[in-house]
Amino acid sequence: MSGIASRRAAEEVVLAGEVRINGKVVESLGTQVDPEHDTVTVRGKRVAVAEHVIYIIMNKPKDYITTAKDEKDRRTVYDLLSIRERVFPIGRLDRNTTGVLLFTNDGFLATKLMHPSSEVKKEYHVSIDHSLDEAHRDKLCKGIYLEEGKTSPAEIVPIPGTKSKEIVVTIHEGRNRQVRRMFEALGYEIVHLNRISYGGLTAAGLAKGKWRFLTNQEIRSLKSLVGQSEGTPSASRAKTSRPAKRPGGQFGNDVKTGKPGKRPNGQFGKDTKTGRPGKRTGKPTGKDVKTGRPGKRDENTKHTVETKARTMRHRRSAGIGH
């Protein structure tokens, strides 16, 4: 987010002793930083967190690499972006795959969207070299085995009028070249692969190679997929929490009114309506709120008190100390 390195490369920079916090070399990868009070430098250059969080959608064309730099000097998706801020892709598309590609500098949201537990759906238009067999369709729907294990079930919908050579595939995983490898494992060659949506967002109205900033509504939609509300801070700030609601009779403040939670009759503490001590049941000790007299005791309680009094009198007469 600060334009220094990827997360993995940043670990190498730390281990090489090139990072300092308040002038002191960082020796541990788990070192905590307060961006509002600490000064962080890398190779003597001060690092600052991005001030503006941005979100971009691109309609990726074919023959572009989803990376910032390519050792073979091939064209990258960053050649198509004309912005000064450093952003990174949310997931990747291989060189020959086209379609929806999202970018952001919101590391918190990006991590959530890409994590398998979020199960964010990606939808692809797949063109294959021959018709999809019904048995193979069933296998894809149940999950098939790749080198790293079995895939999660996919949604497979052949497009009418294409003799099952064109299919809409929906997955919620993000394995490397997953859709291509799924079909290749069953003996198919993909002629064309286009991602038509990511988390419900499409590239409608964008020509190949063009991009735009996401609207506020689209940003809210992405955040809602991972349980992040509109007011939730992004990557650079800690997530806040509010006290959970407490039903009547429980201790603590009510989150709506900020007042103490109601207590049922017979419980200790003040009643929130009258401001008086909560009523007590007839049996426990303590004063009754109506009469001001001690609460009633049952026979067992009375017997216990009298027995204790007799014991104390006996101890005093015998000269036994307290």
Side-chain angles (χ1 to χ4, degrees):
M1 293 179 66
S2 304
I4 303 299
S6 66
R7 182 169 54 187
R8 181 169 298 179
E11 294 179 352
E12 297 174 358
V13 173
V14 171
L15 294 175
E18 298 178 324
V19 179
R20 292 175 180 265
I21 299 178
N22 301 325
K24 184 178 180 180
V25 176
V26 180
E27 298 179 347
S28 172
L29 292 177
T31 303
Q32 298 293 308
V33 176
D34 182 348
E36 295 184 0
H37 300 93
D38 293 329
T39 299
V40 182
T41 59
V42 177
R43 305 183 190 97
K45 181 181 178 181
R46 185 169 182 172
V47 175
V49 177
E51 296 181 359
H52 303 288
V53 183
I54 59 178
Y55 309 86
I56 290 171
I57 185 170
M58 174 188 287
N59 190 355
K60 178 189 172 297
K62 191 176 180 180
D63 293 327
Y64 279 80
I65 308 297
T66 308
T67 186
K69 295 181 181 179
D70 181 60
E71 65 280 1
K72 298 180 180 179
D73 201 28
R74 293 172 293 185
R75 293 179 296 182
T76 77
V77 291
Y78 288 91
D79 294 332
L80 302 171
L81 289 175
S82 54
I83 58 173
R84 299 180 63 181
E85 294 88 350
R86 175 185 168 86
V87 294
F88 45 88
I90 302 177
R92 293 175 179 269
L93 293 178
D94 63 42
R95 179 180 178 181
N96 292 320
T97 301
T98 62
V100 175
L101 185 59
L102 302 178
F103 296 84
T104 187
N105 55 0
D106 185 343
F108 179 82
L109 178 61
T111 300
K112 284 286 189 179
L113 288 171
M114 291 187 288
H115 198 278
S117 64
S118 298
E119 296 189 353
V120 177
K121 291 185 176 181
K122 279 83 70 174
E123 197 173 35
Y124 297 82
H125 181 180
V126 184
S127 298
I128 52 179
D129 58 341
H130 59 277
S131 300
L132 179 64
D133 184 80
E134 191 66 25
H136 289 162
R137 177 184 175 183
D138 292 340
K139 287 184 177 182
L140 292 169
C141 289
K142 294 177 181 178
I144 64 172
Y145 286 93
L146 300 178
E147 293 178 0
E148 64 275 26
K150 189 177 182 179
T151 65
S152 295
E155 296 178 28
I156 307 295
V157 181
I159 298 176
T162 65
K163 298 181 180 181
S164 294
K165 289 184 177 182
E166 295 186 31
I167 308 126
V168 174
V169 178
T170 304
I171 62 174
H172 57 74
E173 295 177 293
R175 305 187 191 190
N176 183 39
R177 301 180 68 253
Q178 181 174 339
V179 175
R180 290 186 183 276
R181 292 165 60 209
M182 286 166 55
F183 280 88
E184 289 171 356
L186 297 175
Y188 297 89
E189 180 182 343
I190 290 185
V191 178
H192 182 68
L193 181 59
N194 180 65
R195 183 155 70 190
I196 54 182
S197 74
Y198 188 113
L201 301 187
T202 73
L206 281 177
K208 285 288 190 289
K210 300 299 181 180
W211 61 273
R212 63 173 175 80
F213 294 106
L214 293 185
T215 65
N216 290 334
Q217 178 58 42
E218 289 171 329
I219 296 170
R220 287 194 293 268
S221 176
L222 285 179
K223 290 184 176 182
S224 68
L225 293 176
V226 296
Q228 184 180 351
S229 64
E230 178 64 16
T232 303
S234 56
S236 61
R237 297 184 181 274
K239 192 174 182 180
T240 58
S241 59
R242 296 180 178 179
K245 291 185 180 180
R246 300 174 186 265
Q250 300 297 319
F251 300 107
N253 293 342
D254 185 279
V255 294
K256 290 186 177 180
T257 65
K259 300 178 181 179
K262 293 183 179 179
R263 303 169 190 267
N265 292 338
Q267 300 293 326
F268 300 108
K270 293 183 179 180
D271 185 280
T272 55
K273 291 185 178 180
T274 65
R276 299 174 180 174
K279 292 183 180 179
R280 302 175 187 268
T281 54
K283 301 296 177 66
T285 58
K287 292 183 179 180
D288 185 280
V289 294
K290 290 185 177 180
T291 65
R293 299 175 181 175
K296 296 180 181 179
R297 303 175 187 270
D298 60 17
E299 291 302 320
N300 291 333
T301 305
K302 183 177 180 181
H303 175 74
T304 301
V305 174
E306 291 176 351
T307 301
K308 184 176 181 181
R310 285 198 300 270
T311 301
M312 294 300 295
R313 287 196 299 272
H314 173 72
R315 289 170 62 87
R316 283 195 295 270
S317 63
I320 301 173
H322 292 293

